[in-house]
Coordinates of all heavy atoms in Angstrom, one line a residue:
Y163 N 94.6 -124.2 68.8 CA 93.5 -123.5 68.1 C 93.4 -124.0 66.6 O 92.3 -124.3 66.1 CB 93.8 -122.0 68.1 CG 92.8 -121.2 67.3 CD1 91.7 -120.7 68.0 CD2 92.9 -120.9 66.0 CE1 90.7 -119.9 67.3 CE2 92.0 -120.1 65.3 CZ 90.9 -119.6 66.0 OH 90.0 -118.9 65.3
G164 N 94.5 -124.2 66.0 CA 94.6 -124.6 64.6 C 94.0 -126.0 64.5 O 93.2 -126.3 63.5
A165 N 94.3 -126.9 65.4 CA 93.8 -128.3 65.4 C 92.3 -128.3 65.5 O 91.6 -129.0 64.8 CB 94.5 -129.1 66.5
K166 N 91.8 -127.5 66.4 CA 90.3 -127.4 66.6 C 89.6 -126.8 65.5 O 88.4 -127.1 65.2 CB 90.0 -126.6 67.9 CG 90.4 -127.4 69.2 CD 90.2 -126.5 70.4 CE 90.7 -127.2 71.7 NZ 90.2 -128.5 71.9
Q167 N 90.3 -125.9 64.7 CA 89.7 -125.3 63.6 C 90.0 -126.1 62.3 O 89.6 -125.6 61.2 CB 90.2 -123.8 63.4 CG 90.0 -122.9 64.6 CD 88.5 -122.6 64.8 OE1 87.9 -123.2 65.7 NE2 87.9 -121.8 64.0
T168 N 90.6 -127.2 62.4 CA 91.1 -128.0 61.3 C 91.9 -127.2 60.3 O 91.8 -127.4 59.1 CB 89.9 -128.8 60.6 OG1 89.0 -127.9 60.1 CG2 89.2 -129.8 61.6
E169 N 92.8 -126.4 60.9 CA 93.7 -125.7 60.0 C 95.1 -126.4 60.1 O 95.4 -127.0 61.1 CB 93.9 -124.2 60.6 CG 92.7 -123.4 60.5 CD 92.3 -122.9 59.1 OE1 93.2 -122.9 58.2 OE2 91.2 -122.6 58.9
N170 N 95.8 -126.2 59.0 CA 97.2 -126.8 59.0 C 98.1 -125.9 58.3 O 97.7 -124.8 57.9 CB 97.1 -128.2 58.3 CG 96.6 -128.2 56.9 OD1 96.7 -127.1 56.2 ND2 95.9 -129.2 56.5
N171 N 99.3 -126.3 58.1 CA 100.3 -125.5 57.4 C 99.8 -125.0 56.0 O 100.0 -123.8 55.7 CB 101.7 -126.2 57.3 CG 102.8 -125.3 56.8 OD1 103.1 -124.3 57.6 ND2 103.3 -125.5 55.7
E172 N 99.2 -125.9 55.3 CA 98.8 -125.5 53.9 C 97.7 -124.5 53.9 O 97.7 -123.5 53.2 CB 98.3 -126.8 53.1 CG 99.4 -127.7 52.8 CD 100.0 -128.5 53.9 OE1 99.2 -128.8 54.9 OE2 101.2 -128.8 53.9
S173 N 96.7 -124.6 54.8 CA 95.6 -123.6 54.9 C 96.2 -122.3 55.4 O 95.7 -121.2 55.0 CB 94.4 -124.1 55.7 OG 94.8 -124.4 57.0
A174 N 97.1 -122.4 56.4 CA 97.7 -121.1 57.0 C 98.5 -120.4 55.9 O 98.4 -119.2 55.8 CB 98.5 -121.5 58.2
L175 N 99.2 -121.2 55.1 CA 100.0 -120.6 54.0 C 99.2 -119.8 53.1 O 99.6 -118.7 52.5 CB 100.8 -121.7 53.3 CG 101.8 -121.2 52.2 CD1 102.8 -120.2 52.8 CD2 102.5 -122.4 51.6
M176 N 97.9 -120.2 52.8 CA 97.0 -119.5 51.9 C 96.7 -118.1 52.5 O 96.4 -117.2 51.7 CB 95.8 -120.3 51.7 CG 96.0 -121.6 51.1 SD 96.8 -121.5 49.4 CE 95.5 -120.7 48.5
R177 N 96.8 -117.9 53.8 CA 96.5 -116.5 54.4 C 97.8 -115.8 54.6 O 97.7 -114.6 55.1 CB 95.8 -116.7 55.7 CG 94.4 -117.3 55.5 CD 93.7 -117.4 56.8 NE 92.5 -118.3 56.7 CZ 92.5 -119.5 57.0 NH1 93.6 -120.1 57.4 NH2 91.4 -120.3 56.8
H178 N 99.0 -116.4 54.4 CA 100.2 -115.7 54.7 C 100.4 -114.6 53.6 O 100.0 -114.7 52.5 CB 101.4 -116.7 54.5 CG 102.7 -116.2 55.0 ND1 103.5 -115.4 54.3 CD2 103.3 -116.4 56.2 CE1 104.6 -115.1 55.0 NE2 104.5 -115.7 56.1

Side-chain angles (χ1 to χ4, degrees):
Y163 180 88
K166 291 176 183 306
Q167 302 295 106
T168 62
E169 295 287 340
N170 58 30
N171 190 64
E172 289 74 31
S173 60
L175 183 60
M176 298 301 293
R177 293 184 197 93
H178 192 279

